[in-house]
Amino acid sequence: MENVLCLNRSTGDTSVACCMGSLRTRKNTCGVSVQRIMATVQVSEAEKVYVLHGVRDDLRVDGRGCEDYRHMEIETEMVSNTDGSAKVTLGHTDVLVGVKAEIGKPRPMVPDEGYLEFFVDCSANATPEFEGRGGDELGMELSNTLYKVFNNRYSVDLKSLSISPGEHCWVLYVDVLLLQCDGNLFDAISVAIKAALFNTKIPKVHISEDEEGGKEIELSDDPYDCMRLNVENVPCIVTLCKVGHRHVVDATLQEKACSVASLIISVTHKGTVTCVRKVGGGSLDPESIFEMTETGKRVGKALHAPLMELLQEEESLGKKRQKVGFLDTTLIVAVSHCP
Amino acid sequence: MPTDTKRVRGPEVSQSPSLFLWKSAAKKSTASNDARVDGRQRGQVDVRSVFVRCGLISQAKGSAYIEAGNTKLICCVYGPRETERKDETDMKSGRLITDMRFAPFSCRERGSWIQGSDEKDLSLMLLESLRPGVCLHKYPRSQIEVNVMVLENDGSVLAHAVTCASMALADAGIEMYDLVLGCSIRQEGATYLIDPTFLEENGCNLASGSRENLGSLTVAFLPSLNQISGLQSDGEMGEDTLTGGVRTCIEGCFKLYPVIQQALSKAVRRKAPPSES
């Protein structure tokens, strides 16, 4: 089956002509329609070749370079019942993170530290495949990776979460909800967690001893008297997909279907690597892994500074901030006009 | 979660005595600086000597047993069997199902029979490490089950599970591109400990050693194809340390390769019918 692909690469608008039956389709398809909002897509051989050739020339289907992210929107303080929350939209991937701080017993091995608990829920809103127990596997994989990413002494200052050593400590329950799935879940989740932890306000506690020697914990009455976390060292995850001989950052579902293996690398703002993991059913050359690690480190490091700036800017706006919420304003208008 | 009604657990505020045993063991291990507890060297590719044997379990299609220091694992392979789910993807290539479990008596603390999230994570890593090595396209509409049971956990369990599983697959006659070997390393500051024991993997978190570069790394490698099929790292490392660690693990895998090859050829000769002449 020989297909002659003539590519007209103008920004965003690509048309492909196949010599078999002269199929002309617009916008990154090649006879096979790419269904959005699905956990997996089917790609034809010709489409794979198209994507591979593009990546080789550093031009992806939607016009990005190999190391460019899609348009990312971050908003914090979305959910009022949580101690901290954030929503990140990366292309069509939507992730909502809520952080709740509760008082619990510290772990026996480390009595003077608090800890974090992660839970990722793949909502059935994202794709019908996640209905019932379907999303559990993916959710478990994501949670386990998050545990590994945060399993070191520097990401979060756990000692600041301790109230009284051996007895009480703050446990931060970080719950991640996947609302829409369009590839690159790890990156969106890690950025959302960083934003949510930045936004988290833990109430200050005061321990008083009563007559019998028992300890009483008092929360301060002022709702604005709270402790903030230092999220400078919280790492961000970068997913690199191996497509052909090169690797791409922030792959869409279509590009992921053309790759055999990906590398997940979590990088702090200083450039230290806290977790590396290879996912996918293919194997990688050691040299590729070294190249991908270097790219991942560079991209990850460059992600932190603008993110912190943005978060601090949003915080400084205070009450004047315009809340966007979950829906786009244009969509609200359209719904209200429906008969 | 079903509770164990046969054991008397003691009052709510009581703590397990093994916790205190743990802390004293950790203090002992930090005393030595150059030599490791079992006589191996830091900073050198000194893997534990392994004992491997194939074909133990008569019921399974293929099986293997590996012993490295005190880490003991057993693996059996069943298949290729007809797959229950008739997905479109199953029509073209086979499916590999891995399951890794810890026996309750394998670790210091008694584990439970219910698979925890750690075990599920290890099973997933095992699957990702083995899949590139097996020629699944030769087994359409079938599934191959790989079950690993850890009998005693004394460190680098995932690495040895990968080696054991690929040996069991070879013993079962499943077509593979290459053997998959695993090796793990524990990075501590400037030096590394290859093939760490359980105490070395966990104990040094409590010790106030160097603050930089504390982490562990597991690599699954295909030696004759020079491909890495599995990679997992933990803790905090610089990029150069990570690269160096991967290269060291690859060296460790090469050291293990001749032993595994020898064990496999012995197993094949044992299975083969005696020659006429």
Side-chain angles (χ1 to χ4, degrees):
Chain A
M1 177 172 84
E2 289 295 326
N3 279 338
V4 171
L5 302 170
C6 34
L7 307 169
N8 179 13
R9 287 187 200 282
S10 50
T11 47
D13 217 48
T14 47
S15 61
V16 174
C18 285
C19 72
M20 286 178 46
S22 70
L23 275 158
R24 228 169 238 286
T25 46
R26 300 232 126 211
K27 287 235 186 243
N28 68 27
T29 59
C30 177
V32 176
S33 61
V34 174
Q35 276 174 282
R36 308 220 125 187
I37 328 288
M38 253 183 79
T40 52
V41 292
Q42 309 273 355
V43 282
S44 65
E45 282 305 312
E47 200 168 9
K48 266 191 205 163
V49 170
Y50 175 58
V51 169
L52 247 70
H53 283 177
V55 169
R56 194 184 57 190
D57 297 331
D58 198 22
L59 184 64
R60 290 153 76 173
V61 168
D62 46 8
R64 290 183 282 157
C66 284
E67 296 183 8
D68 294 336
Y69 271 92
R70 284 172 286 183
H71 175 70
M72 196 188 304
E73 283 177 17
I74 307 171
E75 192 180 343
T76 56
E77 214 152 329
M78 304 281 310
V79 184
S80 54
N81 280 335
T82 56
D83 295 306
S85 60
K87 175 168 176 284
V88 167
T89 308
L90 180 64
H92 278 267
T93 301
D94 245 329
V95 169
L96 176 64
V97 172
V99 178
K100 283 193 91 76
E102 293 190 6
I103 298 183
K105 209 162 178 330
R107 295 221 167 104
M109 302 297 291
V110 272
D112 56 348
E113 287 178 3
Y115 56 95
L116 277 80
E117 291 272 354
F118 294 97
F119 180 68
V120 179
D121 185 25
C122 301
S123 149
N125 288 333
T127 140
E129 291 168 6
F130 289 162
E131 201 191 4
R133 304 297 297 269
D136 277 0
E137 258 188 56
L138 180 62
M140 187 131 9
E141 190 189 333
L142 292 164
S143 316
N144 283 330
T145 312
L146 287 172
Y147 274 114
K148 287 210 159 56
V149 166
F150 282 85
N151 182 24
N152 60 74
R153 313 174 79 107
Y154 308 111
S155 299
V156 177
D157 187 11
L158 296 172
K159 288 205 164 38
S160 65
L161 294 176
S162 166
I163 302 172
S164 60
E167 289 171 8
H168 300 109
C169 70
W170 283 113
V171 181
L172 294 179
Y173 290 98
V174 179
D175 297 304
V176 181
L177 186 61
L178 284 187
L179 297 167
Q180 269 190 58
C181 207
D182 190 27
N184 209 15
L185 295 170
F186 282 105
D187 298 32
I189 290 176
S190 72
V191 170
I193 289 181
K194 184 159 182 161
L197 286 174
F198 177 81
N199 182 239
T200 304
K201 298 178 172 68
I202 302 177
K204 285 213 175 112
V205 288
H206 174 66
I207 303 184
S208 55
E209 296 235 0
D210 58 12
E211 305 89 46
E212 292 124 35
K215 293 211 174 114
E216 254 201 36
I217 298 183
E218 283 168 13
L219 257 63
S220 72
D221 285 331
D222 183 7
Y224 291 102
D225 181 23
C226 49
M227 175 175 80
R228 301 293 291 268
L229 288 171
N230 181 10
V231 294
E232 282 279 312
N233 286 321
V234 170
C236 274
I237 301 179
V238 179
T239 308
L240 297 126
C241 273
K242 183 112 195 278
V243 179
H245 288 291
R246 295 192 58 163
H247 44 268
V248 294
V249 169
D250 192 16
T252 58
L253 285 177
Q254 191 191 19
E255 285 161 345
K256 198 131 184 246
C258 302
S259 85
V260 284
S262 327
L263 198 70
I264 289 170
I265 172 167
S266 95
V267 190
T268 60
H269 72 113
K270 285 195 201 128
T272 35
V273 173
T274 63
C275 175
V276 180
R277 205 171 157 148
K278 175 235 150 211
V279 289
S283 62
L284 292 167
D285 209 61
E287 291 305 320
S288 320
I289 289 193
F290 300 148
E291 269 174 35
M292 284 160 95
T293 318
E294 205 195 298
T295 310
K297 179 184 155 188
R298 202 173 357 115
V299 172
K301 219 169 155 179
L303 191 59
H304 281 94
L307 178 62
M308 286 307 292
E309 258 181 55
L310 188 73
L311 289 172
Q312 270 152 3
E313 200 187 306
E314 195 193 13
E315 172 101 8
S316 65
L317 285 175
K319 287 206 166 49
K320 290 177 265 162
R321 183 166 69 119
Q322 207 182 25
K323 291 200 185 228
V324 176
F326 287 90
L327 290 175
D328 212 355
T329 42
T330 52
L331 195 57
I332 295 175
V333 169
V335 165
S336 66
H337 282 286
C338 265
Chain B
M1 189 131 80
T3 50
D4 193 351
T5 51
K6 301 184 199 87
R7 286 184 162 78
V8 176
R9 289 203 177 272
E12 284 276 317
V13 294
S14 57
Q15 288 180 331
S16 166
S18 56
L19 279 175
F20 301 95
L21 194 72
W22 180 251
K23 286 180 188 156
S24 60
K27 286 206 185 85
K28 255 192 271 171
S29 67
T30 58
S32 60
N33 250 330
D34 257 341
R36 295 158 74 168
V37 180
D38 50 7
R40 289 182 288 160
Q41 292 295 320
R42 283 170 181 251
Q44 281 184 25
V45 186
D46 216 346
V47 291
R48 285 181 282 196
S49 38
V50 291
F51 168 79
V52 287
R53 182 64 65 86
C54 293
L56 314 159
I57 299 175
S58 50
Q59 302 274 27
K61 187 91 190 294
S63 56
Y65 172 74
I66 192 169
E67 218 179 87
N70 277 330
T71 303
K72 301 175 176 71
L73 293 116
I74 195 165
C75 173
C76 5
V77 169
Y78 290 91
R81 283 202 239 188
E82 195 182 330
T83 185
E84 291 107 28
R85 266 175 41 189
K86 301 272 187 269
D87 270 346
E88 200 191 281
T89 44
D90 287 346
M91 296 296 161
K92 294 184 207 126
S93 76
R95 191 205 293 225
L96 191 64
I97 297 178
T98 54
D99 188 33
M100 182 153 166
R101 281 177 199 262
F102 284 80
F105 43 78
S106 57
C107 303
R108 275 173 183 258
E109 291 280 323
R110 183 185 178 266
S112 75
W113 273 114
I114 303 160
Q115 218 183 20
S117 60
D118 281 346
E119 288 173 343
K120 289 210 174 82
D121 193 36
L122 286 169
S123 306
L124 186 64
M125 281 298 306
L126 186 64
L127 174 67
E128 280 172 4
S129 306
L130 291 174
R131 206 151 61 170
V134 181
C135 302
L136 285 171
H137 62 276
K138 301 235 169 165
Y139 300 98
R141 297 187 299 276
S142 326
Q143 69 185 25
I144 300 166
E145 287 167 15
V146 177
N147 302 312
V148 177
M149 171 70 82
V150 179
L151 299 172
E152 192 175 336
N153 177 9
D154 195 29
S156 37
V157 159
L158 181 61
H160 292 302
V162 168
T163 314
C164 192
S166 58
M167 274 188 24
L169 282 167
D171 187 47
I174 307 282
E175 291 193 47
M176 304 210 290
Y177 292 111
D178 193 5
L179 277 179
V180 188
L181 301 177
C183 188
S184 70
I185 193 179
R186 170 106 187 137
Q187 186 76 31
E188 275 176 10
T191 59
Y192 57 81
L193 300 162
I194 200 166
D195 200 6
T197 62
F198 190 69
L199 274 176
E200 285 168 349
E201 263 180 1
N202 300 317
C204 297
N205 262 331
L206 309 170
S208 57
S210 49
R211 305 275 291 180
E212 291 282 316
N213 284 340
L214 194 69
S216 35
L217 172 69
T218 306
V219 171
F221 186 63
L222 286 86
S224 28
L225 297 175
N226 196 31
Q227 295 272 304
I228 291 182
S229 65
L231 176 64
Q232 177 179 278
S233 95
D234 206 353
E236 189 156 357
M237 287 189 265
E239 192 209 327
D240 304 324
T241 331
L242 185 66
T243 319
V246 172
R247 282 193 224 271
T248 314
C249 283
I250 292 178
E251 262 186 62
C253 289
F254 274 122
K255 277 208 169 179
L256 210 52
Y257 199 31
V259 179
I260 310 290
Q261 281 178 320
Q262 223 181 19
L264 270 177
S265 50
K266 257 197 226 167
V268 166
R269 255 182 254 126
R270 239 183 300 128
K271 270 193 187 168
S275 50
E276 293 298 301
S277 57

